[in-house]
Amino acid sequence: MFQEIADVLTAEECARLRDIAKSARFVDGRISSPHSQVKDNLQIDSGGEAYAESSRLVATALQRNETFRNFAYPRIMAPPLLARYEPAMRYGLHSDAPFMQVGARPLRSDLSCTVFLGDPDTYEGGELAITLGTRQVTFKLPAGSAVLYPSTTLHEVLPVTAGERLVAITFIESQIADPVFRELLFQLDEVAALEGFNMSWENRTRLQYVRANLRRIWGEAG
C-alpha cells in the first residue's frame, strides 16, 4: 500500500531546505551503497552542519504529521538525507537494505519515504517508479509532499533529463511489522476518524476496544 501525503513541509521549510542544498557539500551517493551498479546520484555530506539542520527539519515535519503517524506507526526513523539528481543521473531498479544502523541499534526497513523538495515543473524525468506486478506506479509530487511505500518493493528513480531533482529520503521501522496488519489498523483509524461522532458512545467504545487490542497483539513496543 502506498500513501501520498500533501503539505508535509510548508513552503517556507521547502525554501529553507533548497537554500541549504545550494551551499551544502554533496558527495557521491554510492558512499552509502558502495556495491551498487545502478546508483548514480549525490547526497548531502553527513558530516556537516547542513546535514544536521536539514535532517532535523524534515524529521520534525514528518513526526508532526498525523497521517504519517497513523499510516506508518513509526517506531524508529532513520535521519532523513537530502539527495540530488542532476541531468542524466538516476537510481536504477533496486530494493532497499532490510536493516540499517541507526545510532546504537539496527533499524528494520519496513517503509521507505521520499519527500519532494522541488516543484515538478523545475525538472524533467526523475519520477519515483515502484514495481507492482507487471506494471510500474510513478510518483512526482509537488514540493512539500511525501510518499510512503513498502521497503520490500523493487523501485527506481527514472533518469533526470533536465533541471535538478531534490528530495529527502528516510526509512521507518514500524511498530506494526506486518504490512497487512498495518493497513487494517490504518483503515480502522480512518473509519474511527470519519464516522466516530456518528456512532453511539457504546459503539465508539467497542471500536476503540478492537483497535487498541489489535495494536497490542500485532505491535512492538518502543
Side-chain angles (χ1 to χ4, degrees), residues 93-111:
L93 197 65
H94 66 284
S95 60
D96 292 325
F99 290 94
M100 305 169 188
Q101 197 68 25
V102 175
R105 61 150 290 177
L107 172 150
R108 182 189 62 237
S109 59
D110 296 321
L111 290 161

Side-chain angles (χ1 to χ4, degrees), residues 24-200:
R25 179 173 180 262
F26 278 71
V27 297
D28 190 333
R30 283 172 293 188
I31 285 177
S32 59
S33 187
H35 302 297
S36 175
Q37 298 182 4
V38 296
K39 188 175 186 179
D40 182 16
N41 68 0
L42 300 169
Q43 64 189 42
I44 195 168
D45 182 0
S46 61
E49 282 297 318
Y51 164 73
E53 181 184 354
S54 62
S55 184
R56 182 171 58 250
L57 200 161
V58 176
T60 299
L62 287 168
Q63 290 162 353
R64 76 181 177 223
N65 186 276
E66 186 176 12
T67 303
F68 172 80
R69 296 194 307 270
N70 291 344
F71 182 83
Y73 289 95
R75 187 181 185 194
I76 306 171
M77 181 168 61
L81 182 74
L82 297 189
R84 187 166 72 200
Y85 292 76
E86 298 173 350
M89 288 186 174
R90 62 189 293 268
Y91 195 164
L93 197 65
H94 66 284
S95 60
D96 292 325
F99 290 94
M100 305 169 188
Q101 197 68 25
V102 175
R105 61 150 290 177
L107 172 150
R108 182 189 62 237
S109 59
D110 296 321
L111 290 161
S112 302
C113 178
T114 298
V115 183
F116 294 81
L117 304 179
D119 291 318
D121 59 0
T122 62
Y123 62 100
E124 296 177 9
E127 294 87 352
L128 170 65
I130 302 173
T131 300
L132 189 63
T134 58
R135 296 178 179 271
Q136 281 191 324
V137 181
T138 59
F139 298 88
K140 187 176 181 180
L141 303 183
S145 299
V147 59
L148 285 157
Y149 53 98
S151 300
T152 53
T153 56
L154 284 171
H155 54 279
E156 63 183 308
V157 176
L158 301 180
V160 172
T161 57
E164 176 185 281
R165 178 187 194 260
L166 183 67
V167 297
I169 58 169
T170 187
F171 306 91
I172 300 101
E173 178 178 317
S174 178
Q175 294 172 355
I176 313 297
D178 189 298
V180 174
F181 296 164
R182 193 166 58 242
E183 180 177 349
L184 289 172
L185 283 171
F186 179 69
Q187 295 296 343
L188 277 176
D189 288 343
E190 289 287 280
V191 170
L194 294 171
E195 300 294 336
F197 290 107
N198 297 324
M199 299 178 185
S200 68

